């Protein structure tokens, strides 16, 4: 066991975890916003919106994340027209491409979580709201949304952990996150086990942190249903 | 469309064999994973704290660390530890383990953690009366396990094993970093030589989509077969 290597690689990997966290946070926010839209489309009565959301979600859940990242990073750069649009700001950087792929991927999974949360709300709660004469907006924001959040929090926590693990794939498009730096150190030092222990521990700490925050959120949104 | 010609002109035959490789490595990984879950599920349900600790650390570590990092560990660490052993016997050359074996093993260990959770959940949701009744009837252990418990576990586990299979199938795309020529690696090679990544990666997405949809249909059939009531 090479303790010296572990100690010297720790600060490098900790610094790289900033990239991982930045990627995680940004795709989490964008993904959640997209997921809310897609889940509303999924429960809407409009057939077109329903199928649009259905196809989106199955397309992204049926293919590996790595393929999605490669299509966006290597594939979209090929489209000449894209270079002249404002979106090129996102596509020209590996960070933007990885973030876009991760956002869309997590949006597909999260929209399914939200959809099932909305669908399992007992009709009685909505009827109770209607008989109290509450407006449609009030029923949605004061009854449906809190219950849906409560229902989906634990599944969403798992999704955040999956997304965190997914950020490792950004290293395949030259992004220097924890996994990217770890691979670099391994290929120069030929000591995979030591580096794996340090990098793996950082990831595990992140996993535990996410689980801890989800627990807090679950307590906060505790409602007696 | 000439990209898809078979033979030296196109990439049709190469991609066909790449699909077969993806299927082969997925099945191997799934089988290794189920084998692992047969070891770790009893440990997880054991009365002894130490055995439970081993099984819990396995599932927690594997599910909390990115798959890609685990693959790098096996890819770089596998041959490194083998070379270390070889050095003890006086061999100083470079040894490389077969990419298929490393890949199937790495993905198998990941898949095994998920399978373990599936089987643990299935055993725990079995009605306690089933265990007690078989004890009262004085059934021998193998009879009791194979005739009473296992069929019920399978019935409960198969829908979730379907999910594990989907995860495993998609995870095999990560083995491409080790150089095993499956769908992803073949698309990478083809995209590099034709300078048309958009076409080949989109094709790879379609191939994966076909594989997931076909296997979903297959699993639905098995599910129906095992979905017998009490």
């Amino acid at each position: 066991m090479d303790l010296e290597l572990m100690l010297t690689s720790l600060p490098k990997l900790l610094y790289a975890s900033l990239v991982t966290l930045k990627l995680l946070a940004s795709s989490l926010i964008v993904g959640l916003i997209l997921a809310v839209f897609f889940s509303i489309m999924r429960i809407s009565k409009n057939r077109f919106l329903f199928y649009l959301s259905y196809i989106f979600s199955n397309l992204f859940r049926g293919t590996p994340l790595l393929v999605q990242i490669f299509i966006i990073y290597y594939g979209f750069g090929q489209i000449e027209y894209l270079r002249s649009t404002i979106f090129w700001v996102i596509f020209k950087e590996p960070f933007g491409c990885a973030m876009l792929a991760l956002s869309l991927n997590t949006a597909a999974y999260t929209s399914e979580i939200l959809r099932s949360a909305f669908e399992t709300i007992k009709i009685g709660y909505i009827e109770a709201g209607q008989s109290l004469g509450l407006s449609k907006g009030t029923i949605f924001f004061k009854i449906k949304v809190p219950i849906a959040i409560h229902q989906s929090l634990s599944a969403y926590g798992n999704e955040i952990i999956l997304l965190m693990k997914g950020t490792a794939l950004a290293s395949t498009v030259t992004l220097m996150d924890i996994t990217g730096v770890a691979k670099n150190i391994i290929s120069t030092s030929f000591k995979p086990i030591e580096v794996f222990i340090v990098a793996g521990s950082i990831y595990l700490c992140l996993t535990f942190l996410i689980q801890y925050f989800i627990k807090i959120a679950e307590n906060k949104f505790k409602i007696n249903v | 469309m000439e990209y898809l010609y078979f033979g030296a002109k196109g990439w049709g035959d190469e991609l066909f064999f790449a699909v077969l490789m993806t299927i082969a490595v997925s099945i191997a990984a799934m089988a290794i994973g189920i084998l692992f879950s047969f070891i770790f599920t009893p440990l997880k349900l054991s009365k002894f704290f130490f055995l439970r600790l081993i099984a819990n650390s396995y599932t927690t570590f594997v599910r909390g660390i990115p798959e890609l990092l685990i693959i790098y560990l096996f890819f770089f660490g596998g041959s490194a530890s083998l070379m270390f052993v070889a050095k003890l016997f006086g061999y100083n050359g470079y040894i490389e383990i077969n990419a298929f074996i490393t890949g199937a093993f790495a993905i198998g260990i990941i898949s095994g953690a998920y399978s373990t959770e599936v089987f643990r959940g299935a055993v725990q949701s079995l009605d306690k009366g089933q265990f007690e009744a078989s004890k009262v009837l004085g059934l021998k252990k193998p009879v009791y396990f194979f005739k009473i418990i296992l069929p019920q576990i399978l019935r409960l586990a198969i829908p979730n094993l379907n999910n594990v299979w989907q995860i495993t199938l998609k995870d095999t795309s990560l083995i491409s970093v080790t150089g095993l020529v499956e769908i992803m690696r073949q698309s990478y090679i083809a995209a590099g030589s034709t300078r048309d990544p958009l076409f080949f990666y989109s094709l790879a997405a379609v191939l994966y989509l076909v594989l997931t949809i076909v296997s979903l249909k297959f699993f639905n059939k098995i599910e129906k077969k095992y979905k017998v009531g009490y």
Side-chain angles (χ1 to χ4, degrees):
Chain A
M1 205 58 91
D2 190 345
L3 271 177
E4 208 186 305
L5 177 75
M6 287 167 86
L7 283 176
T8 50
S9 57
L10 182 66
K12 288 182 208 159
L13 288 165
L14 278 178
Y15 185 70
S17 68
L18 288 181
V19 177
T20 297
L21 283 175
K22 221 165 86 182
L23 201 56
L24 175 65
S26 50
S27 35
L28 206 59
I29 294 165
V30 178
L32 187 61
I33 295 168
L34 287 172
V36 170
F37 280 111
F38 278 113
S39 64
I40 292 172
M41 279 161 73
R42 194 70 182 275
I43 52 176
S44 87
K45 290 189 180 75
N46 187 323
R47 286 280 95 179
F48 175 72
L49 292 181
F50 171 85
Y51 278 113
L52 201 66
S53 166
Y54 178 82
I55 290 169
F56 166 80
S57 140
N58 283 301
L59 213 60
F60 277 87
R61 291 183 312 139
T63 53
L65 178 59
L66 190 65
V67 179
Q68 294 158 17
I69 291 179
F70 274 23
I71 289 179
I72 292 175
Y73 183 69
Y74 294 111
F76 283 6
Q78 215 178 316
I79 306 169
E80 285 292 326
Y81 172 71
L82 197 67
R83 290 166 185 266
S84 58
T85 61
I86 190 166
F87 299 112
W88 188 239
V89 188
I90 300 171
F91 290 105
K92 73 176 180 190
E93 297 282 343
F95 185 89
C97 290
M99 195 203 88
L100 185 67
L102 286 165
S103 305
L104 291 170
N105 188 277
T106 187
Y109 285 95
T110 311
S111 75
E112 291 290 326
I113 295 170
L114 291 178
R115 174 188 64 87
S116 76
F118 274 117
E119 279 178 356
T120 50
I121 295 175
K122 285 196 187 109
I123 192 88
Y125 295 114
I126 297 156
E127 284 172 346
Q130 282 167 343
S131 58
L132 284 172
L134 300 180
S135 68
K136 251 192 170 175
T138 319
I139 290 176
F140 185 76
F141 286 108
K142 294 278 167 183
I143 299 178
K144 280 187 177 176
V145 169
I147 295 178
I149 290 176
H150 167 82
Q151 296 263 11
S152 51
L153 257 179
S154 111
Y156 188 55
N158 283 335
E159 175 53 31
I160 298 175
I161 292 170
L162 286 180
L163 180 66
M164 193 269 292
K165 294 204 289 175
T167 58
L169 300 193
S171 66
T172 58
V173 288
T174 71
L175 215 64
M176 276 301 146
D177 72 325
I178 302 174
T179 304
V181 171
K183 197 202 160 197
N184 261 6
I185 301 174
I186 290 174
S187 50
T188 49
S189 68
F190 298 108
K191 298 239 164 64
I193 294 163
E194 285 88 340
V195 180
F196 178 80
I197 291 172
V198 180
S201 311
I202 297 174
Y203 275 116
L204 275 180
C205 287
L206 289 178
T207 306
F208 292 142
L209 261 179
I210 294 167
Q211 280 170 343
Y212 175 72
F213 282 128
I214 287 293
K215 269 247 164 74
I216 291 176
E218 268 179 303
N219 283 331
K220 207 164 182 185
F221 284 97
K222 215 176 207 170
I223 30 176
N224 296 317
V225 188
Chain B
M1 276 327 264
E2 58 207 44
Y3 285 147
L4 295 181
Y5 285 159
F6 279 62
K9 248 173 136 188
W11 295 90
D13 46 343
E14 280 92 345
L15 280 165
F16 176 73
F17 287 115
V19 171
L20 290 187
M21 183 57 99
T22 290
I23 296 171
V25 82
S26 303
I27 291 174
M30 189 75 188
I32 292 170
I34 287 182
L35 218 65
F36 262 79
S37 69
F38 283 166
I39 300 167
F40 283 103
T41 310
L43 293 186
K44 234 180 179 185
L45 298 165
S46 155
K47 281 178 234 159
F48 303 105
F49 173 76
F50 182 66
L51 295 181
R52 279 205 311 272
L53 185 73
I54 293 175
N56 284 334
S57 336
Y58 164 60
T59 51
T60 312
F61 284 175
V62 170
R63 294 188 309 154
I65 296 174
E67 297 83 358
L68 194 61
L69 199 62
I70 296 174
I71 288 170
Y72 282 142
L73 174 75
F74 273 79
F75 180 57
F76 293 108
S79 47
S81 45
L82 209 70
M83 275 193 282
F84 178 75
V85 175
K87 229 177 211 169
L88 296 180
F89 290 97
Y91 180 77
N92 282 319
Y94 183 75
I95 305 173
E96 203 181 294
I97 311 179
N98 181 294
F100 184 89
I101 295 171
T102 343
F105 220 79
I107 301 288
I109 282 176
I110 296 162
S111 160
Y114 290 100
S115 301
T116 303
E117 291 294 340
V118 167
F119 281 117
R120 179 194 56 83
V123 174
Q124 280 180 339
S125 60
L126 266 191
D127 191 359
K128 252 203 167 155
Q130 301 285 334
F131 295 92
E132 287 161 2
S134 7
K135 264 185 202 155
V136 170
L137 286 171
L139 295 178
K140 281 189 188 122
K141 262 220 158 151
V143 179
Y144 142 72
F145 180 73
F146 284 106
K147 293 279 169 186
I148 312 256
I149 304 302
L150 196 63
Q152 300 192 62
I153 290 177
L154 281 182
R155 189 176 69 103
L156 292 166
I158 281 175
N160 293 321
L161 282 181
N162 181 8
N163 284 336
V164 178
W165 163 256
Q166 303 273 341
I167 294 171
T168 307
L169 180 65
K170 285 185 279 174
D171 276 351
T172 59
S173 66
L174 303 181
I175 307 177
S176 61
V177 297
T178 69
L180 182 76
V181 186
E182 38 69 78
I183 297 177
M184 206 56 212
R185 182 75 195 166
Q186 190 60 64
S187 309
Y188 182 84
I189 296 168
S193 99
T194 59
R195 289 167 192 273
D196 196 352
L198 187 62
F199 175 81
F200 280 102
Y201 291 134
S202 306
L203 184 66
V206 172
L207 291 175
Y208 278 111
L209 210 58
V210 169
L211 285 180
T212 49
I213 291 170
V214 168
S215 54
L216 203 68
K217 288 255 151 72
F218 176 71
F219 259 98
N220 283 344
K221 260 192 186 158
I222 304 181
E223 239 171 83
K224 258 189 200 147
K225 200 178 154 192
Y226 279 92
K227 211 175 176 182
V228 274
Y230 288 115

